[in-house]
Amino acid sequence: MTLCKQHSVTVNDWLIAKMMLEENTNKVVIAADIRNQAKCYRQGAMGNYSTAFGVSVKKNGENVIILAKRVASQVINICQHPRKEMLVLACYIHMQPELIDAVTISTLGDFGSKAGTFIGRNMFGYGSQNGYSITNLGKIESNIIAEAVFIPPASPANKKTWGVLTVNSHMKICVSNLIAER
């Protein structure tokens, strides 16, 4: 992405801006790799060392680079304050993992748990299902793998998720849509 380098924005900044424009939204949730911040991470360890945070920018026009620069400023601000960046993880740290499943079931199902419904709707966004998110797996160069696609995880809180994967300098944006009728 030569254009990104010329304007000092990352591919992720550009992707967020592009999604904001295409989906006509001011807020996108982006996954963030936190292996470098996690003291418990060991090189080569398998597992999910990521968090997510929302980037919210009001759009002024349709120029993706100008919007990407504003997104970059937001992302830098969030990453300079670990409490903001780790907000999603805080929910998992203070709740037992089994409760996450109970929250989803009680919010999306027809079960009468007021506490589960409250947490599911207000902390995880399951009530409105109108979120947008991007997960960028990064890029690889391989003489064995010619190309690949990434099927992004469909979150019950999101209307649309873009999964981005770059293999041999070829970027693919794959999409997961939530199509649910209640």
Side-chain angles (χ1 to χ4, degrees):
M1 301 285 311
T2 308
L3 192 60
C4 291
K5 286 182 183 177
Q6 287 174 349
H7 293 281
S8 300
V9 295
T10 68
V11 172
N12 286 345
D13 301 330
W14 181 83
L15 286 166
I16 292 170
K18 183 172 173 57
M19 182 179 234
M20 285 177 168
L21 291 172
E22 285 188 14
E23 299 300 328
N24 194 27
T25 183
N26 290 333
K27 185 173 184 181
V28 173
V29 174
I30 183 168
D33 183 344
I34 58 164
R35 286 178 286 190
N36 294 335
Q37 290 122 297
K39 292 178 183 174
C40 62
Y41 176 71
R42 284 176 286 155
Q43 186 66 32
M46 301 289 281
N48 189 359
Y49 289 90
S50 66
T51 187
F53 55 85
V55 177
S56 183
V57 179
K58 295 209 187 294
K59 299 183 300 292
N60 293 338
E62 297 290 316
N63 186 315
V64 71
I65 291 297
I66 290 172
L67 186 57
K69 286 182 177 186
R70 294 177 70 209
V71 165
S73 174
Q74 271 274 334
V75 170
I76 289 167
N77 184 13
I78 290 167
C79 291
Q80 287 176 344
H81 300 92
R83 296 183 98 187
K84 291 180 182 178
E85 189 178 10
M86 305 300 171
L87 186 60
V88 170
L89 287 183
C91 297
Y92 290 93
I93 289 168
H94 297 295
M95 295 172 74
Q96 293 177 5
E98 306 83 53
L99 292 178
I100 304 300
D101 295 332
V103 164
T104 306
I105 292 167
S106 63
T107 305
L108 299 175
D110 267 340
F111 302 101
S113 169
K114 289 182 181 179
T117 300
F118 175 81
I119 292 169
R121 285 189 180 149
N122 296 310
M123 291 178 75
F124 293 99
Y126 295 150
S128 59
Q129 298 172 322
N130 61 0
Y132 295 91
S133 70
I134 294 174
T135 300
N136 186 346
L137 287 186
K139 64 180 181 178
I140 63 161
E141 297 293 325
S142 174
N143 57 3
I144 297 170
I145 302 170
E147 62 179 288
V149 295
F150 167 52
I151 301 170
S155 166
N158 289 335
K159 183 184 285 188
K160 183 176 276 188
T161 300
W162 282 6
V164 182
L165 177 61
T166 304
V167 177
N168 300 328
S169 301
H170 183 75
M171 178 190 288
K172 285 196 177 181
I173 298 174
C174 308
V175 179
S176 230
N177 285 315
L178 178 69
I179 304 171
E181 295 291 324
R182 283 190 177 199

